[in-house]
Amino acid sequence: MIRIFKYGEVPNQEIFARTEPTANVSGVVSEIIQQVRLRGDEALLEYTKKFDKAELSGLQVTEEEFQEALSSFDPKLKKVLQRAATNISKFHSRQKRNSFILSEEDGIVMGQKIIPIDRAGLYVPGGTAAYPSTVLMDALPAKIAGVKEVVMVTPPNAQGKINPAILAAARIAGVDRIYKVGGAQAIAALAYGTESIPKVDKIVGPGNAFVAEAKRQVYGQVSIDMIAGPSEILIVSDGKTNPRHVAADLLSQAEHDKLASAVLVTDDLELAKAVQEELEMQIPQLERAEIARASIDNNGKIIVAGNLDRAIDIANEIAPEHLELCVEQPFDYLSKVRHAGSVFLGRNCPEALGDYLAGPNHTLPTSGTARFSSPLSVDDFIKKMQYTYFTRDALENVAEDVAYFAKAEGLTGHARSALIRTQEENT
């Protein structure tokens, strides 16, 4: 059963405690990465047979495989995917940045160019679970940014097939190539390249502990989006929200993973007790009841705060991945929220809207990293390049100051470089 804490009556370390994964997989992941670097496709095929029980003759999904999967694909789900893609594209298109140029002073031109990365790598969980929503959320911002090539990796099932929903989402989102490989070995292939899989500039997408550790180890060789931890939801609610709705929203994240965190912060003790009872009624109704039960019992909590302002303070301290403001006037509290991945406002905005259809991205910072990081966006797939141009006269106007600054740092070579052109006789 979920625990109820009264803020101020228990130590803060109990209120803000997080359950962190304990498995240390760094050694195993390091060996996998090394084998992929040394043996390329051969290692990928071996690991796919070992971990996914699939014997493959080739890694890349062919057009024939695409057509076979899509020929019997659920037409209603296809329409839902297309609707989601439209919403996601509409939202992320507003994130596009423009280059700029400054030429306010005579003889000086400065500017910044926005340049998409050449190739992005998408990791999409597969096998027993399939997440076409992740394909849309990760691929569409890359395409909007102008990435030339989007490469996706996802593990196959034991028959060597990719879930048709994954392939349908990839086709809708414009993914250029798909490879049947998962786990740490897939991350290594994207980071270093193999005979079949091209090296990418950035890897995005969630995965298990092995995938997360592999992303950590290859960072620097390539860029990554983030190290994703267990899923989180925090609901701030007054006493007027239906406890059935609150419980259902908490369970929408608890069913993800036994390590997932579901937290309610409320100013109403009666709501807290009602949600506690409602959770006990709803958990047995879930297909993933065992997972949800472990998450709620081990990581779930209800915190009773003195008022809603204090509840927002608690939410900011936790910095959750998903934050629901189930209150009377949610926009009155939005300005007070400083640390959250994505915020859902009002009593009719369940977090599941954000997972699938609303438009904002669902790849979000976890484990408190919302204090300093952001949701996946178009910005993740671009880089900025700056440039400067000075005429001779413009340089002469500032050369002495540049040299003086350089000498103050003990860098006389810098000073000389600034002065040498202005001290030469005009020819």
Side-chain angles (χ1 to χ4, degrees), residues 226 232 319-322 340-342 363-370 373-376:
M226 62 189 76
E232 306 164 343
E321 178 186 16
H322 307 100
S342 194
T363 300
L364 304 169
T366 61
S367 305
T369 59
S373 55
S374 307
L376 189 77

Side-chain angles (χ1 to χ4, degrees), residues 308-309 312-313 316 331-339:
L308 290 179
D309 285 329
I312 296 294
D313 290 340
N316 280 327
F331 286 95
D332 290 350
Y333 293 91
L334 180 59
S335 63
K336 300 176 183 180
V337 175
R338 292 182 49 78
H339 307 304

